[in-house]
Amino acid sequence: MVEQGERITYVHLELATVYLNLGDVHGARDLLEVFIKAYPESLRAYEALCEIYWESEAYNLADTLLQACPDTLKTTMPILLLMGETLFRSGKQAEAISFYHKSIEYLGWDEQIAVALAGIYEAIDRKKEALATYQEVMDGCKSCHKKVNPFVRQRYAELKYEAGDISSGLLDTYFSLCRENPENQGIYFGRISDIYKRQGYPTEAQRYLEMARQKTLG
């Protein structure tokens, strides 16, 4: 930066990233606010600045920043997600839900927006809507032969489990998650054990309970 003198370049963005990694939020914010004025189409800068504003609960600054972005960015998925998240974090859950629904209505179905919408439903304890939205995401992935995001499958399975589902279909989902997300196998084996127990298979239930304990103990 010293060599570049007064010029604003991508060195500002990279240095701001280093500051964030070191926990120097103020240093990062100062650089990013200067950088984004010179490079108003940098999505990375919007994402980093919004995270900083959210952390300090300066939601009005995040909203002002996003509203002022170039028209070419306003309907891009990263900016839409930042707008929705800003509304949600500022306590405007109903507005965030409406915003995401309108985004889907005008721009078409998008998995990222749907997952964000489902997350809000979960956060405000509207679990039926969350479950239906995750189901819609999974059905969309199947129709286009795309692999379902393990996070979506995990949240779908957990909500079904909380609702009292003990079906073989839910067992299959947890077995799939054991393969796709091995770091959480202890939790999944515990769920499998409980489902087998409630289905009336004590031997299988005990087997997976032991596996869950082994994973939990490491």
Side-chain angles (χ1 to χ4, degrees), residues 46 84 86 133:
Y46 286 101
T86 298
T133 306

Side-chain angles (χ1 to χ4, degrees), residues 59-86:
Y59 306 115
N60 59 323
L61 292 180
D63 181 64
T64 299
L65 172 72
L66 295 169
Q67 295 299 332
C69 77
D71 290 341
T72 53
L73 294 185
K74 276 191 167 66
T75 56
T76 61
M77 210 51 60
I79 295 297
L80 290 173
L81 290 169
L82 290 173
M83 287 178 173
E85 185 70 12
T86 298

Side-chain angles (χ1 to χ4, degrees), residues 59-60 63 67 80-106 113 116-117 120-121 124 126:
Y59 306 115
N60 59 323
D63 181 64
Q67 295 299 332
L80 290 173
L81 290 169
L82 290 173
M83 287 178 173
E85 185 70 12
T86 298
L87 288 169
F88 171 66
R89 288 182 182 240
S90 64
K92 300 175 181 177
Q93 292 93 342
E95 288 184 39
I97 289 170
S98 176
F99 176 79
Y100 282 139
H101 276 299
K102 287 178 180 177
S103 296
I104 291 172
E105 180 182 347
Y106 292 118
I113 288 182
L117 177 60
I120 294 177
Y121 281 140
I124 61 176
R126 289 170 59 176

Side-chain angles (χ1 to χ4, degrees), residues 12 15-21 23-34 48-49 52:
H12 287 67
L15 185 55
T17 303
V18 174
Y19 280 159
L20 282 175
N21 291 334
D24 184 354
V25 176
H26 294 296
R29 175 175 169 172
D30 290 343
L31 286 170
L32 287 167
E33 287 178 337
V34 169
L49 260 179
I52 291 171

Side-chain angles (χ1 to χ4, degrees), residues 2 14 17 20-21 24-25 42 74 89 116-117 119 123-124 135 137 149-151 161 167 183 192 201 203 216 218:
V2 171
E14 300 305 330
T17 303
L20 282 175
N21 291 334
D24 184 354
V25 176
S42 171
K74 276 191 167 66
R89 288 182 182 240
L117 177 60
I124 61 176
Q135 178 70 69
V137 172
N149 184 332
F151 171 79
Y161 177 79
S167 66
E183 60 268 27
I192 291 168
Y201 298 102
T203 303
T216 302

